[in-house]
Amino acid sequence: MIEVEVFPHRYLKATTTEKFLNEIYSLDTVERVIIHGQPLPKTVYYGPARGTPVNHSERKVINVHGVPVELTVMAGRFWITLKDDSEIEKIEEICKSLFPFGYNIKVGKFTRDKATVTDYIKYGERVVNMMDRSLIGLTDPRSKFDSAVKIIPKEKDEETSSKE
């Protein structure tokens, strides 16, 4: 498994984020994409205006390979998990076409792959031991799983599904 960090030099609008994710998910070796950025809350968290709605123009629902995804952050960084390094050049080409303002790409290890004490405290030993290993490290311990993670299924190849 290879992890690639794509760091555009600007925060992305929802339309650019949608184009980028659709092109990335069309690659064969992509397993998952994690998006980091500035939060786009629905309501004001604190202060005198606490609880009033925030009408940010970039908090939209985008369509990624047929799955509606609500953007809760202004996309500023992507961690892409690949099966192997054969399509890193394709990621570079996608970035060149969509990010004319510049970007950085790094290959490394950005997510954790083993459960921590926090995971055991939040979910319990039984749940952590039964949990899919690809979900470890995806959520903030203080968040609810449904609001923090959106799973976009990878479609099976037509050849493999016809053999089964």
Side-chain angles (χ1 to χ4, degrees):
M1 274 228 255
I2 303 275
E3 289 184 354
V4 177
E5 178 185 61
V6 175
F7 186 71
H9 291 173
R10 296 181 182 167
Y11 285 114
L12 303 181
K13 292 193 171 272
T15 55
T16 309
T17 303
E18 182 176 20
K19 288 177 192 173
F20 179 75
L21 290 174
N22 279 315
E23 289 193 32
I24 288 296
Y25 272 107
S26 68
L27 300 176
D28 294 331
T29 60
V30 172
E31 290 189 349
R32 71 178 178 187
V33 178
I34 300 173
I35 306 171
H36 290 268
Q38 286 293 110
L40 296 171
K42 282 186 178 180
T43 59
V44 177
Y45 291 136
Y46 57 89
R50 182 179 184 179
T52 59
V54 176
N55 297 321
H56 197 286
S57 61
E58 293 304 311
R59 187 177 176 102
K60 297 179 180 176
V61 176
I62 62 172
N63 188 2
V64 182
H65 275 256
V67 177
V69 177
E70 183 179 13
L71 284 180
T72 58
V73 295
M74 288 276 294
R77 179 179 314 215
F78 300 91
W79 289 344
I80 304 166
T81 305
L82 306 170
K83 294 177 189 170
D84 56 48
D85 62 350
S86 64
E87 293 185 319
I88 292 177
E89 296 82 21
K90 291 181 183 177
I91 293 174
E92 181 86 30
E93 291 171 14
I94 292 168
C95 292
K96 278 183 188 176
S97 68
L98 291 175
F99 309 144
F101 43 81
Y103 59 91
N104 294 338
I105 292 182
K106 288 186 204 173
V107 176
K109 184 73 177 150
F110 303 102
T111 59
R112 53 190 174 86
D113 54 359
K114 295 182 181 176
T116 63
V117 173
T118 305
D119 292 323
Y120 284 100
I121 292 171
K122 178 160 176 89
Y123 305 114
E125 184 177 1
R126 186 172 58 90
V127 173
V128 169
N129 291 336
M130 293 172 47
M131 162 185 278
D132 181 6
R133 292 294 167 215
S134 64
L135 298 177
I136 291 177
L138 287 184
T139 62
D140 177 5
R142 295 169 293 180
S143 70
K144 293 182 177 150
F145 184 80
D146 293 339
S147 65
V149 174
K150 183 68 174 181
I151 297 175
I152 299 170
K154 192 77 171 171
E155 296 176 356
K156 288 185 177 183
D157 295 337
E158 293 176 15
E159 297 172 8
T160 57
S161 61
S162 63
K163 290 179 183 177
E164 294 177 350

